[in-house]
Amino acid sequence: MKRTIFILLLFFGSVVTGDDYRIHERSNLWETIWDNGKIGGEVSPSETNPSMDWPGGPPGIDELSQRSYLKMGGVWIGGKNEKDSIFFDECGPYATGQEGALNTWTTHSMGIERIENFNGSSDFDPGEGEEIIISKWTTKNGITVTRKSMVWSYPGKRWGLRPGYNNFIVTDYIFKNTGDTDGNGISDIERNYQDVFFGFCYLIQPSSQDKLLHGWGSGYLDADDVVRYDSTRALLYAYDSISQAAGGASFDYGNLYEGEIRTPGYAGFAKLYSDPSTDGSPQPHTVFYAQSIERTYTLLQMGKRNLYYILSGDSASIYMPEENCWLAPFLLQGYGPYSLEMGDSVHIVIVEAVHGISPQTCLGGSGSQQYLKDGHKYLTRSVDKANEIFNNNYYLEDYPPPAPDIVEIEPIPREGELLVPLVLTWDDSFDDYVDPATGIQDLEGYKVYRSDYYYIGPYVELASIPKEDPDFYDSYTGRYTFPDTTVELGHGYFYAVVAFDSSGNESGKTNRNIEAVYAIRPPSTQLDVKVAPNPFKRVSGWTTTGDEYKLMFYNLPLKCTIRIFTISGDLVREIHHDDPNSGCEFWDQFTDSRMRVSSGVYLYSVESDIGSTNGTILIIK
């Protein structure tokens, strides 16, 4: 194996967007898979998709809240034809501008599909992933690639120490010399290739959360990313360290932001399998990690010959950067050499994985930074779990029961209670679940988890409910009902209901609500309107992410109009409230023209059919 470590730059032209994509969102690790070979990356400047997001979600997340570890990934294919001429096909992550033409993309899509194979479904195949994405494309040199990526939702029994199968993506590649150059399924050329190498390229960027801390440009923030190679696992990975650009500031380690560590993960990819090479050399043949520029300051192009020699491990000659160009890791594994005559194929399986300290530990602030290094052993254990499931042909010895679909989460008023409990309801469709590995009907019950912070957690267990417990189960309707009476006014909550079996296995939290649900009070029949917090001092005190600047009006009548004014009488915001179940309404401190208000005293009025009232709000920032 040829291993090269460089702290230099690769310069490439602009990235070309693929035609179509599907998203893995079943496990903790979310990823965008494209039909042209690319992995991750943005859809457009205005649309953000998962890109090695860990923990992933929720759908539609904004870039600054996204826990992304990847700028982009893809596949390189290079070799020689019968005339000993070099060819090079790029299937992401760049368009290199080969042969003098900018944005040259050398693939043709042949389709992509996402398949749900969820545990508990009537046609569940235990020898496959729970979520499968199959993409297929061909290159201008007639090599057709079929990529099958798979994920599982099954968690471990103890975070990091006994990890499950939900922190990695297994990706199976078949490279075949079909002679099809345009994706129509018909052979256009007949060529035999030698010294063929297949490369897997990842621009792993653990420091994307630096944008929150420093507002730095995307190149500057990557100066603290560290790359390492674990030869025993063929694992190439990166993690966030302390930035020299920030003067070695301690808050930059793990990207500590407002008491939360935002970048706890160690992210990488490793070999699970590769066909024997022509010369019998150990695989991967090439391990190369350098520093790749994310923003193009000067358009420099690398020809196919240079790229092929990097892929084959015969060269590390790459362009030097301009001064003051900050860096993002470029990680490459090359497999080969292979002979690829017409009809021949090569099989390679890669695992992409991320793991680190738990969301609960991340909220420990600077006191938790000492545990960040544990992410390395958590990552290696996850890669070991991927090897385990691959070597067992994707079968498990014991499957956790599937999580039920939560039918609804809604506030249900109770007579005489000022605070409305949130009630979860789910059906009993999996009560008779039979483990496909053991043949045993072993579902024992359900656990209710809640987070008052964010969709990704941390979650705490609220209740463990035995199967068909009459306190929670209605045999007539076939539904379970759990009232959460511990909610607090104004706080938002995320819930998950998991099933557990007699061995202690739990299902994944696959049924979480995407948006927070709120504890409320019922409408008031008297005008005793209150605002909280008042005064507002810097942040609201609500624990739910995104609610830091919200104020809540409560004790509202079921239908009313709230108007907020400056002290001089200018209208700032008008809010119409009409809810028969809630006497609460939030104000996010934005004006009607979507401008954030400044510190000061504000007046409000509430007008309704039962009368009018007014008051003041003091905002201190």
Side-chain angles (χ1 to χ4, degrees):
M1 179 189 71
K2 299 182 180 180
R3 179 179 172 193
T4 310
I5 307 170
F6 265 76
I7 309 299
L8 300 176
L9 284 182
L10 292 171
F11 276 84
F12 294 95
S14 301
V15 173
V16 176
T17 303
D19 295 324
D20 201 4
Y21 62 87
R22 299 292 185 271
I23 296 175
H24 279 303
E25 54 186 13
R26 179 72 174 173
S27 67
N28 280 349
L29 180 57
W30 289 29
E31 187 65 277
T32 302
I33 305 296
W34 296 79
D35 63 348
N36 58 7
K38 193 172 70 172
I39 297 172
E42 65 183 18
V43 178
S44 68
S46 61
E47 185 177 356
T48 301
N49 265 0
S51 193
M52 211 182 225
D53 287 11
W54 183 90
I61 192 171
D62 65 275
E63 183 182 8
L64 292 183
S65 300
Q66 183 180 18
R67 269 70 163 178
S68 174
Y69 286 81
L70 180 69
K71 181 62 181 175
M72 201 176 297
V75 181
W76 286 0
I77 305 171
K80 299 176 182 178
N81 60 24
E82 293 105 326
K83 297 180 180 180
D84 208 34
S85 296
I86 290 174
F87 75 90
F88 188 85
D89 285 322
E90 187 186 0
C91 315
Y94 306 98
T96 60
Q98 298 172 34
E99 301 169 357
L102 297 182
N103 300 336
T104 301
W105 200 257
T106 61
T107 65
H108 294 278
S109 171
M110 299 178 71
I112 186 169
E113 64 174 330
R114 175 182 172 272
I115 302 168
E116 293 184 354
N117 180 47
F118 295 168
N119 186 12
S121 60
S122 59
D123 56 352
F124 173 63
D125 182 350
E128 293 279 1
E130 277 200 292
E131 183 181 61
I132 305 163
I133 297 177
I134 300 175
S135 54
K136 189 174 183 179
W137 67 92
T138 193
T139 74
K140 67 178 182 179
N141 287 291
I143 297 176
T144 299
V145 186
T146 303
R147 177 169 65 190
K148 177 182 178 182
S149 54
M150 298 181 287
V151 302
W152 294 261
S153 67
Y154 316 138
K157 294 183 178 179
R158 190 176 177 188
W159 184 277
L161 299 178
R162 298 179 64 186
Y165 304 91
N166 59 340
N167 296 294
F168 57 77
I169 300 172
V170 172
T171 307
D172 186 299
Y173 289 89
I174 300 291
F175 301 91
K176 186 173 183 179
N177 184 0
T178 62
D180 179 5
T181 63
D182 55 13
N184 64 0
I186 300 173
S187 178
D188 306 300
I189 58 174
E190 289 195 12
R191 294 177 184 169
N192 297 319
Y193 297 118
Q194 298 81 39
D195 296 328
V196 179
F197 289 86
F198 303 100
F200 303 95
C201 318
Y202 284 79
L203 279 72
I204 294 181
Q205 186 187 48
S207 289
S208 61
Q209 286 293 309
D210 271 331
K211 296 175 185 177
L212 269 179
L213 272 75
H214 315 298
W216 291 344
S218 55
Y220 186 74
L221 59 84
D222 303 312
D224 58 350
D225 291 339
V226 175
V227 182
R228 293 289 183 266
Y229 182 64
D230 178 348
S231 59
T232 61
R233 295 177 175 84
L235 168 62
L236 198 50
Y237 64 95
Y239 61 94
D240 181 70
S241 184
I242 298 178
S243 175
Q244 298 308 308
S250 60
F251 67 82
D252 192 55
Y253 183 35
N255 293 321
L256 182 62
Y257 180 71
E258 295 188 349
E260 179 188 5
I261 293 173
R262 301 296 294 256
T263 309
Y266 281 58
F269 63 103
K271 182 191 83 168
L272 296 182
Y273 171 82
S274 62
D275 281 343
S277 62
T278 304
D279 64 359
S281 59
Q283 302 298 316
H285 180 88
T286 306
V287 174
F288 180 91
Y289 46 102
Q291 300 291 337
S292 165
I293 196 160
E294 181 183 324
R295 295 177 295 176
T296 303
Y297 293 88
T298 303
L299 184 62
L300 296 176
Q301 299 175 25
M302 297 188 70
K304 60 185 179 183
R305 180 177 296 273
N306 303 81
L307 295 171
Y308 171 74
Y309 287 141
I310 290 174
L311 175 59
S312 65
D314 293 322
S315 173
S317 177
I318 52 181
Y319 291 108
M320 293 291 292
E322 293 182 351
E323 293 182 2
N324 300 321
C325 293
W326 296 92
L327 315 171
F330 171 80
L331 286 67
L332 168 70
Q333 288 189 8
Y335 292 77
Y338 293 99
S339 293
L340 206 62
E341 298 186 358
M342 285 296 299
D344 286 352
S345 61
V346 173
H347 184 203
I348 302 173
V349 185
I350 300 294
V351 61
E352 168 187 325
V354 186
H355 213 319
I357 59 175
S358 70
Q360 181 64 55
T361 305
C362 286
L363 293 180
S366 59
S368 291
Q369 287 177 309
Q370 61 182 310
Y371 304 115
L372 282 168
K373 63 182 183 299
D374 291 341
H376 173 250
K377 61 184 177 184
Y378 297 166
L379 173 65
T380 57
R381 288 169 182 168
S382 285
V383 171
D384 291 344
K385 295 296 285 188
N387 270 287
E388 172 195 305
I389 199 171
F390 172 78
N391 291 329
N392 204 31
N393 295 318
Y394 304 120
Y395 286 92
L396 274 65
E397 295 181 356
D398 188 12
Y399 288 82
D405 291 329
I406 297 178
V407 177
E408 57 190 2
I409 307 172
E410 62 177 352
I412 299 181
R414 292 182 174 182
E415 187 175 352
E417 293 187 7
L418 290 178
L419 191 62
V420 178
L422 294 170
V423 179
L424 287 75
T425 305
W426 65 94
D427 62 36
D428 62 359
S429 56
F430 294 126
D431 275 16
D432 297 327
Y433 168 79
V434 176
D435 188 315
T438 64
I440 298 174
Q441 196 177 94
D442 60 356
L443 188 146
E444 291 278 306
Y446 301 92
K447 293 182 179 181
V448 179
Y449 287 90
R450 186 185 76 187
S451 173
D452 61 2
Y453 187 68
Y454 198 34
Y455 174 86
I456 63 174
Y459 283 84
V460 296
E461 182 182 329
L462 294 183
S464 180
I465 301 172
K467 184 171 68 173
E468 298 183 357
D469 184 332
D471 290 338
F472 301 95
Y473 178 66
D474 185 334
S475 59
Y476 180 76
T477 63
R479 288 189 170 183
Y480 291 83
T481 302
F482 173 78
D484 183 3
T485 59
T486 64
V487 294
E488 297 182 33
L489 184 64
H491 289 264
Y493 298 98
F494 298 88
Y495 292 92
V497 178
V498 305
F500 65 91
D501 64 18
S502 55
S503 299
N505 298 309
E506 293 186 10
S507 60
K509 297 180 178 68
T510 57
N511 50 22
R512 293 166 290 179
N513 47 299
I514 294 173
E515 296 182 351
V517 290
Y518 289 86
I520 59 174
R521 282 187 176 178
S524 176
T525 57
Q526 299 178 354
L527 280 178
D528 184 25
V529 177
K530 305 291 185 182
V531 179
N534 190 15
F536 175 94
K537 297 181 179 180
R538 200 172 77 83
V539 292
S540 65
W542 313 129
T543 56
T544 309
T545 300
D547 290 353
E548 295 86 355
Y549 299 104
K550 288 184 177 180
L551 293 97
M552 182 181 63
F553 293 84
Y554 62 98
N555 292 343
L556 294 169
L558 63 87
K559 188 174 183 178
C560 63
T561 299
I562 305 168
R563 293 184 177 90
I564 302 162
F565 303 89
T566 64
I567 194 68
S568 58
D570 296 324
L571 180 63
V572 172
R573 185 74 179 269
E574 183 172 290
I575 302 171
H576 297 280
H577 175 76
D578 187 358
D579 190 335
N581 296 316
S582 172
C584 302
E585 194 71 53
F586 283 101
W587 176 40
D588 56 10
Q589 295 193 44
F590 278 102
T591 68
D592 282 331
S593 56
R594 302 306 298 165
M595 300 291 290
R596 182 85 71 179
V597 300
S598 58
S599 298
V601 177
Y602 293 84
L603 310 176
Y604 71 85
S605 69
V606 178
E607 298 179 0
S608 71
D609 292 339
I610 63 173
S612 301
T613 188
N614 54 65
T616 60
I617 302 171
L618 175 60
I619 296 177
I620 304 171
K621 296 185 178 180

